[in-house]
Amino acid sequence: MNAEIITIGDEILLGQIVDTNSAWIAQYLGEADIAIRCITSIADRREDISKALLEASSRSDIVIVTGGLGPTKDDVTKDTISQFFKSPFIRNQHVLDHVKQLFVRMGRGEMPISNYAQADVLECAEVLFNDVGTAPGMWIERDNNRFAFLPGVPFEMKFLMEKRVMPRLMAMRSNVHVYHSHILTAGLGESFLAEQIADIEASLPHYIKLAYLPKIGLVRLRLSARGTDVNLLETETENFANRISERLKKYVVAKEDISLEEAIIKNFSESHLKIAFAESCTGGTIASNLTKYAGASKVFDCGIVAYANPIKQGVLGVRENTLDEFGAVSEQTVIEMAKGVQRVSGAEYGVATSGIAGPTGGTPEKPVGTVWIAVAGKNEIVTKKFQFNNSRQINIERSTMQALVLLWNLYVKELV
Amino acid sequence: MNAEIITIGDEILLGQIVDTNSAWIAQYLGEADIAIRCITSIADRREDISKALLEASSRSDIVIVTGGLGPTKDDVTKDTISQFFKSPFIRNQHVLDHVKQLFVRMGRGEMPISNYAQADVLECAEVLFNDVGTAPGMWIERDNNRFAFLPGVPFEMKFLMEKRVMPRLMAMRSNVHVYHSHILTAGLGESFLAEQIADIEASLPHYIKLAYLPKIGLVRLRLSARGTDVNLLETETENFANRISERLKKYVVAKEDISLEEAIIKNFSESHLKIAFAESCTGGTIASNLTKYAGASKVFDCGIVAYANPIKQGVLGVRENTLDEFGAVSEQTVIEMAKGVQRVSGAEYGVATSGIAGPTGGTPEKPVGTVWIAVAGKNEIVTKKFQFNNSRQINIERSTMQALVLLWNLYVKELV
């Protein structure tokens, strides 16, 4: 079984809202082994709506349509789908009673006649009763296709997907299953990884696919298997995932679908280790990235954003001599910053950054994008110089990710 | 002129990532008066790609395609578009040199042969040179259509849209011009603002439209004028923008299209004032948000992320008594944190946050989402308690924005 999503309405096409509904539906159906083949966003325009419905039904078994049917929308969508299914809209008394009741319950008084149209559904449709809102959904079976029309309001859409659509999909499902396995790696580029596991990749059976999903300093590997024998899929996929993990051993951060930050929080808290940050050019971004995730407080007590030299000296104890002789953007300075924040916080690991994020502040010796990173661990200090040459925000983002990668690498090294 | 967006790749269809690229492109082109007619997300599948390209080019003048062309992608996309345009891929020496250089500069050594294909572009295409990444974009003119093929990595896509695609779109546009004027306001809700300027709004000529764009604690007003006489558009729009600014005076943060962070950097640096942050629940996010913008170093020397109580005491000088009696999430604690970071940094303004971001850590008296914020200024300290009840990331984001709004309001108050 495969499915398509069509969203109708202007907000997405104007960029006023990000289409999170489609991602939610895709993930929700994906977990039930129903793959999304296409997502289409269109406006309330007759020609585009009928073309999209036609295309989708020619390609996919299930067509999920969100939006376009609210009470204040003009009648283009209703008209078009009525023509498409050659079926008129009729008023549903059960829905009308519900909508009237909701109106009263919300303290909005007697419902105006203009709202009665919310209870209109296609004659050929089964009503997907919407307990949590006024707009009903519709389920239509036509030839080999199943259509679900749903409101665009996220929580109403989710309610209808879970309570009304999924049971209908389950009743018609074939026995095809999908199984995913993820490996997060750090420290080796996409093409180098691919070279290292070329023989394993070549030996994958046709029903298992390998995808490389790279992101600054990291590459995520995803194995996806499809078939009818769910035990075989799991066993075989995990078998290949293990072979790949074994081969890439020292580059593997996690054997699950998590971020580097989550892997750091998980591993450091299990090892009872704390991290502290002394950030200059990244200005709090490393601390902020870690804080996003629940559990950060278990591994992270303290961060110092030492943007100015007096703070580097006063709070972190960087020596005036070091700043005078080598400058703020230097290996010597980040080493003293990393040690300084270890001392101030009592954390086992200290991470420091200093660089020229841009757009100004560069010199011939230290152009914009020059960044020094130091990680002080339990026994060792590692440093690395990067030469980015991007925009300010990208330089900060890359420095942040690279600092976390260096932290991870030293953690792994000192674990042994 | 209208446009369509096609995204190629599995991540969106699997619901693993939310398609923020399309919203960004839609908004960006919308500001240049180019409407998006359709957004389509498809996988690397021959039939779907050529159908999508055909459909899009039959409907829209401009087709923006993102993703599908990375170095380890299989060759379906390349093959398909090569057939679609009846044009082979050829290796571009200029791009190849750039990609090789990037490899060396990133300290990744000699580039493996498998990466050479990144320099392959369609013979019929103009190269959209990608300064910030390895994958080049392509610009193709065919009959009445213009196609832009771009990498899916957001910052690379944005770079190419701004530097390479937009100039080409501008060169082909008709003599209809669009002129925008922006006013950023803080401290008054959308409907109250609308009431205050109702008479001005009613007197706008038909070719000038006013939009309210609200965002946590802020409302951005955008005047958009459309017409052929560019001088008239500018004069009239600025005339109305001035009338609105005059009326809303004390709520106006900026009369240009900038963020609150940029307005803070601009105003504080002109006033020779510095800010320091003492962050608990926001974990460095306020500092990080400010640092994103050039010039941050002029107003911002120091931030302390005091996640744990010992840091609040040791580094910021919060008294043990205060923490014992009132707790870390209290008005008394954030006042001492704000004063403490003023003292440590020597900055005129100190901003402090302490709260329970969630998902755990709440109590009946202080449930998840309870956040205290303090701003210590030159003469005064203001505090405010918020009761959010969202996810961790949203609580952090809202706390961050509200802290900056409070900082701005105190700055304006003390300016007089």
Side-chain angles (χ1 to χ4, degrees):
Chain A
M1 280 205 302
N2 64 8
E4 296 210 12
I5 302 169
I6 299 173
T7 74
I8 302 178
D10 283 339
E11 296 85 351
I12 292 169
L13 297 177
L14 289 169
Q16 287 175 340
I17 59 167
V18 170
D19 178 19
T20 53
N21 274 356
S22 294
W24 186 89
I25 295 172
Q27 208 164 35
Y28 183 66
L29 293 183
E31 280 164 19
D33 308 340
I34 299 169
I36 297 293
R37 178 144 175 202
C38 182
I39 301 169
T40 312
S41 294
I42 48 172
D44 301 273
R45 185 198 288 246
R46 201 174 288 274
E47 180 196 345
D48 294 359
I49 295 169
S50 45
K51 216 165 193 172
L53 288 171
L54 198 67
E55 280 290 323
S57 54
S58 76
R59 212 163 24 196
S60 300
D61 309 307
I62 302 152
V63 183
I64 313 272
V65 184
T66 64
L69 294 171
T72 59
K73 308 284 173 180
D74 58 36
D75 292 329
V76 174
T77 308
K78 284 196 159 179
D79 245 38
T80 310
I81 68 169
S82 170
Q83 279 177 24
F84 184 85
F85 290 103
K86 297 185 182 61
S87 172
F89 273 89
I90 53 166
R91 193 145 296 173
N92 182 295
Q93 190 59 43
H94 184 32
V95 174
L96 184 60
D97 292 344
H98 167 67
V99 177
K100 280 182 177 173
Q101 254 177 29
L102 261 189
F103 236 76
V104 174
R105 204 189 307 152
M106 308 273 290
R108 292 161 69 191
E110 188 78 9
M111 189 171 82
I113 300 284
S114 62
N115 275 52
Y116 279 39
Q118 292 201 67
D120 294 350
V121 291
L122 278 183
E123 195 175 38
C124 69
E126 271 180 67
V127 174
L128 302 175
F129 196 79
N130 181 359
D131 299 36
V132 299
T134 51
M138 295 186 287
W139 176 263
I140 298 167
E141 309 199 346
R142 176 61 54 104
D143 303 326
N144 294 317
N145 295 115
R146 302 293 179 271
F147 297 83
F149 287 85
L150 305 174
V153 182
F155 75 86
E156 296 185 28
M157 178 280 290
K158 288 176 191 172
F159 174 86
L160 289 174
M161 279 299 294
E162 287 171 350
K163 302 290 177 191
R164 307 277 176 258
V165 176
M166 189 50 90
R168 285 170 169 84
L169 296 178
M170 283 298 124
M172 63 182 272
R173 70 170 314 123
S174 70
N175 53 356
V176 174
H177 298 274
V178 179
Y179 185 86
H180 295 291
S181 186
H182 296 86
I183 303 167
L184 178 65
T185 71
L188 208 57
E190 189 178 350
S191 46
F192 292 103
L193 284 176
E195 272 173 22
Q196 294 237 357
I197 57 171
D199 58 319
I200 304 178
E201 190 170 357
S203 69
L204 285 171
H206 69 280
Y207 57 88
I208 303 184
K209 296 225 160 107
L210 173 62
Y212 295 83
L213 311 168
K215 198 186 148 189
I216 311 169
L218 303 169
V219 180
R220 194 178 296 280
L221 305 180
R222 186 186 65 224
L223 287 161
S224 308
R226 254 181 97 85
T228 50
D229 182 343
V230 69
N231 290 325
L232 175 80
L233 294 183
E234 180 171 345
T235 316
E236 278 294 278
T237 311
E238 288 304 328
N239 177 19
F240 277 100
N242 287 335
R243 280 178 62 193
I244 293 171
S245 299
E246 203 54 44
R247 178 76 59 82
L248 299 177
K249 206 157 195 168
K250 63 178 177 168
Y251 304 109
V252 173
V253 176
K255 290 164 79 175
E256 54 186 323
D257 189 16
I258 58 175
S259 65
L260 178 57
E261 289 88 341
E262 287 171 289
I264 287 172
I265 290 172
K266 191 178 161 184
N267 284 273
F268 276 70
S269 63
E270 282 171 10
S271 309
H272 303 287
L273 293 171
K274 298 250 179 182
I275 319 158
F277 302 106
E279 305 187 52
S280 184
C281 66
T282 50
T285 309
I286 310 180
S288 173
N289 271 20
L290 209 70
T291 308
K292 275 190 192 131
Y293 297 97
S297 56
K298 285 188 217 144
V299 303
F300 169 46
D301 287 342
C302 170
I304 307 289
V305 184
Y307 227 52
N309 283 348
I311 307 301
K312 292 188 182 81
Q313 294 175 246
V315 181
L316 294 171
V318 175
R319 288 172 308 155
E320 196 169 353
N321 267 352
T322 308
L323 292 166
D324 286 348
E325 193 173 344
F326 303 101
V329 180
S330 66
E331 184 172 24
Q332 290 78 4
T333 297
V334 286
I335 288 176
E336 292 186 24
M337 288 170 70
K339 284 182 176 172
V341 81
Q342 266 184 324
R343 196 177 50 243
V344 170
S345 66
E348 284 82 3
Y349 284 79
V351 180
T353 61
S354 186
I356 298 145
T360 59
T363 64
E365 297 78 40
K366 295 175 185 175
V368 167
T370 308
V371 176
W372 272 101
I373 301 177
V375 180
K378 287 185 293 186
N379 314 308
E380 199 178 326
I381 298 180
V382 292
T383 60
K384 193 162 174 184
K385 184 188 179 185
F386 294 87
Q387 187 59 59
F388 306 117
N389 66 337
N390 305 299
S391 75
R392 179 178 181 84
Q393 295 190 21
I394 298 168
N395 286 335
I396 293 173
E397 190 190 336
R398 302 215 151 184
S399 304
T400 296
M401 285 311 298
Q402 296 289 7
L404 291 173
V405 171
L406 279 183
L407 169 65
W408 176 263
N409 288 341
L410 184 59
Y411 163 75
V412 171
K413 192 174 168 194
E414 294 195 333
L415 204 57
V416 190
Chain B
M1 282 207 298
N2 63 10
E4 295 209 14
I5 302 168
I6 299 172
T7 73
I8 302 177
D10 284 339
E11 296 85 353
I12 292 169
L13 296 177
L14 289 169
Q16 287 177 338
I17 59 168
V18 170
D19 178 18
T20 53
N21 274 354
S22 294
W24 186 89
I25 295 173
Q27 206 166 36
Y28 183 65
L29 292 183
E31 279 166 20
D33 203 27
I34 299 168
I36 297 293
R37 180 146 175 199
C38 182
I39 301 169
T40 313
S41 293
I42 47 172
D44 301 273
R45 184 198 289 244
R46 200 175 288 275
E47 180 195 346
D48 294 359
I49 295 169
S50 45
K51 217 166 192 173
L53 287 170
L54 199 67
E55 278 290 322
S57 55
S58 75
R59 212 165 23 199
S60 301
D61 309 308
I62 302 152
V63 183
I64 313 272
V65 184
T66 64
L69 294 170
T72 59
K73 307 285 173 180
D74 57 39
D75 291 328
V76 174
T77 308
K78 284 196 160 182
D79 244 39
T80 309
I81 68 169
S82 170
Q83 278 176 23
F84 183 84
F85 290 104
K86 298 186 182 60
S87 172
F89 272 89
I90 53 166
R91 193 145 295 175
N92 182 295
Q93 191 58 43
H94 184 35
V95 174
L96 184 60
D97 292 344
H98 166 68
V99 177
K100 282 182 175 173
Q101 255 177 28
L102 262 189
F103 239 77
V104 173
R105 204 186 310 152
M106 304 279 292
R108 293 161 69 190
E110 188 79 10
M111 188 172 80
I113 299 285
S114 61
N115 275 52
Y116 279 41
Q118 293 202 65
D120 293 351
V121 291
L122 277 183
E123 195 174 38
C124 69
E126 271 180 67
V127 174
L128 302 175
F129 196 80
N130 180 358
D131 298 38
V132 300
T134 52
M138 294 187 288
W139 175 263
I140 298 167
E141 310 199 345
R142 177 60 54 105
D143 304 325
N144 294 317
N145 295 116
R146 304 292 180 270
F147 297 82
F149 286 85
L150 306 175
V153 181
F155 75 84
E156 296 185 26
M157 178 281 290
K158 288 176 190 172
F159 174 86
L160 288 173
M161 279 299 295
E162 286 171 349
K163 303 289 179 193
R164 307 278 178 258
V165 176
M166 190 49 91
R168 285 172 169 83
L169 296 178
M170 283 299 121
M172 62 185 273
R173 70 175 312 130
S174 68
N175 58 349
V176 174
H177 298 274
V178 179
Y179 185 86
H180 295 293
S181 187
H182 297 84
I183 302 168
L184 179 64
T185 71
L188 207 58
E190 190 178 349
S191 47
F192 293 103
L193 284 175
E195 270 173 25
Q196 295 239 356
I197 57 171
D199 58 318
I200 305 178
E201 190 171 358
S203 69
L204 285 171
H206 70 279
Y207 58 87
I208 303 183
K209 295 221 163 112
L210 173 61
Y212 295 82
L213 311 168
K215 197 187 149 188
I216 312 169
L218 303 168
V219 180
R220 194 178 297 280
L221 305 180
R222 187 184 64 219
L223 288 161
S224 309
R226 244 177 98 91
T228 50
D229 183 344
V230 69
N231 290 324
L232 176 80
L233 295 183
E234 180 171 344
T235 314
E236 279 294 278
T237 311
E238 287 306 328
N239 177 20
F240 278 100
N242 286 335
R243 282 178 61 193
I244 293 172
S245 299
E246 203 53 45
R247 179 75 59 84
L248 299 176
K249 208 155 194 169
K250 63 177 177 170
Y251 304 109
V252 173
V253 177
K255 292 165 73 176
E256 52 186 323
D257 189 17
I258 60 176
S259 64
L260 177 58
E261 290 87 340
E262 287 171 289
I264 287 172
I265 290 171
K266 192 177 161 185
N267 284 273
F268 276 70
S269 63
E270 282 171 9
S271 308
H272 302 288
L273 294 171
K274 298 248 180 184
I275 320 157
F277 302 105
E279 305 187 52
S280 184
C281 66
T282 50
T285 309
I286 310 180
S288 173
N289 272 21
L290 209 70
T291 308
K292 276 189 191 131
Y293 298 96
S297 58
K298 284 187 216 144
V299 303
F300 169 46
D301 287 343
C302 170
I304 308 288
V305 184
Y307 226 51
N309 284 348
I311 307 300
K312 292 187 182 80
Q313 295 174 248
V315 181
L316 294 171
V318 175
R319 288 172 308 154
E320 197 169 354
N321 268 352
T322 308
L323 292 167
D324 286 347
E325 193 174 342
F326 304 101
V329 179
S330 66
E331 183 172 24
Q332 290 79 2
T333 297
V334 285
I335 289 176
E336 292 186 24
M337 287 170 70
K339 283 182 177 172
V341 82
Q342 266 184 322
R343 196 177 49 243
V344 170
S345 66
E348 285 82 3
Y349 284 80
V351 179
T353 61
S354 186
I356 297 146
T360 59
T363 64
E365 297 78 40
K366 296 175 184 175
V368 166
T370 308
V371 176
W372 272 101
I373 301 177
V375 181
K378 286 185 295 185
N379 314 307
E380 200 177 327
I381 298 181
V382 291
T383 60
K384 195 163 174 183
K385 183 188 180 184
F386 294 88
Q387 187 59 60
F388 306 118
N389 63 340
N390 305 298
S391 74
R392 180 179 181 83
Q393 294 190 22
I394 297 172
N395 287 336
I396 292 173
E397 189 191 335
R398 302 217 151 184
S399 304
T400 297
M401 284 312 297
Q402 295 291 6
L404 291 173
V405 170
L406 280 183
L407 170 65
W408 176 264
N409 289 341
L410 184 59
Y411 163 76
V412 171
K413 192 175 169 193
E414 294 195 331
L415 203 59
V416 190

